[in-house]
Amino acid sequence: MELLQLIRECKQGSITAQKYLYDRFAVQFFLVCRRYLKTDAEAEEILQNGFLKIFNGLQHFSYASDAASVAWMKKIIINECLQELRKKNSFFLVAEDDAAEINTADDILGKLSADDIYKLITQMPVGYRTVFNLYVIEGYNHMEIATILNISEGTSKSQLNKARKTLQQSVTQNNLYAGRKAK
């Protein structure tokens, strides 16, 4: 079924359409939740809360395209994750002065598998992981991240640098890059 039709039927209160919409995006959005949250149980709970907000918000949503609709839903899911992190006071951010500019070998991360990178990201401290996800994966700039997380732009930049350094150290310590040089 086309996304536009699913959205129309969801707006009309069709439980079947809601189930189809949920089934179509649950895995994708669960993985988004999992990038931000530590456990599957937390991610599942936030996914459910996010879909409730999506279903309630559809009454005020105007379909423009499939891509815009998915982006709108994904933004709701991300905001739910961030709200959960704020609720738990999980942001342990370093001060701007404590994080020097770090020049990382970004090409190393480009040669790792998605699974390797995902595992490394989920092991980072919450503040690093959150800023890294928002900047690198979601495409937000530092000004937007600062606004979303109520931090300074400099803190956002330092968290990203610390995250990159942590990833680089993890790659080196776990010798993940060694097996991929020949590829």
Side-chain angles (χ1 to χ4, degrees):
M1 184 179 291
E2 288 186 28
L3 185 56
L4 175 58
Q5 185 61 33
L6 274 177
I7 290 172
R8 282 184 185 148
E9 290 181 24
C10 285
K11 283 183 173 186
Q12 296 170 354
S14 169
I15 294 172
T16 303
Q18 289 177 349
K19 178 166 178 14
Y20 276 114
L21 187 68
Y22 178 87
D23 290 344
R24 184 167 172 182
F25 293 101
V27 172
Q28 176 184 349
F29 292 157
F30 174 79
L31 294 174
V32 169
C33 292
R34 214 33 202 97
R35 282 198 320 259
Y36 289 92
L37 304 166
K38 278 278 190 197
T39 67
D40 286 351
E42 287 177 309
E44 186 70 35
E45 181 180 343
I46 298 308
L47 178 70
Q48 300 301 321
N49 294 344
F51 267 102
L52 287 175
K53 285 206 174 176
I54 289 168
F55 294 140
N56 290 330
L58 281 174
Q59 295 305 322
H60 306 288
F61 176 75
S62 297
Y63 178 90
S65 69
D66 283 6
S69 300
V70 173
W72 175 77
M73 291 186 290
K74 185 177 178 183
K75 187 172 186 173
I76 290 172
I77 296 294
I78 291 169
N79 285 335
E80 284 298 300
C81 292
L82 296 175
Q83 214 169 19
E84 178 69 11
L85 292 173
R86 277 189 212 101
K87 185 171 76 176
K88 291 183 174 186
N89 297 315
S90 294
F91 290 109
F92 298 107
L93 303 174
V94 297
E96 292 175 51
D97 299 338
D98 294 338
E101 279 296 312
I102 299 160
N103 194 3
T104 61
D106 288 330
D107 60 316
I108 291 174
L109 292 178
K111 295 179 181 174
L112 295 176
S113 74
D115 286 340
D116 288 339
I117 295 171
Y118 173 77
K119 288 174 188 169
L120 294 174
I121 290 171
T122 59
Q123 293 171 0
M124 285 193 290
V126 174
Y128 298 177
R129 181 175 68 238
T130 303
V131 172
F132 184 86
N133 280 327
L134 290 170
Y135 187 86
V136 174
I137 297 172
E138 309 302 345
Y140 288 94
N141 65 41
H142 288 294
M143 183 184 296
E144 293 168 324
I145 294 168
T147 301
I148 291 168
L149 299 180
N150 197 27
I151 59 176
S152 71
E153 281 185 65
T155 299
S156 176
K157 290 175 183 177
S158 71
Q159 291 296 289
L160 179 61
N161 285 329
K162 287 283 195 175
R164 286 180 171 161
K165 182 178 180 184
T166 299
L167 283 174
Q168 187 177 26
Q169 288 171 344
S170 294
V171 168
T172 304
Q173 287 171 353
N174 295 315
N175 204 21
L176 292 174
Y177 183 58
R180 287 163 178 81
K181 286 183 182 176
K183 288 185 180 179

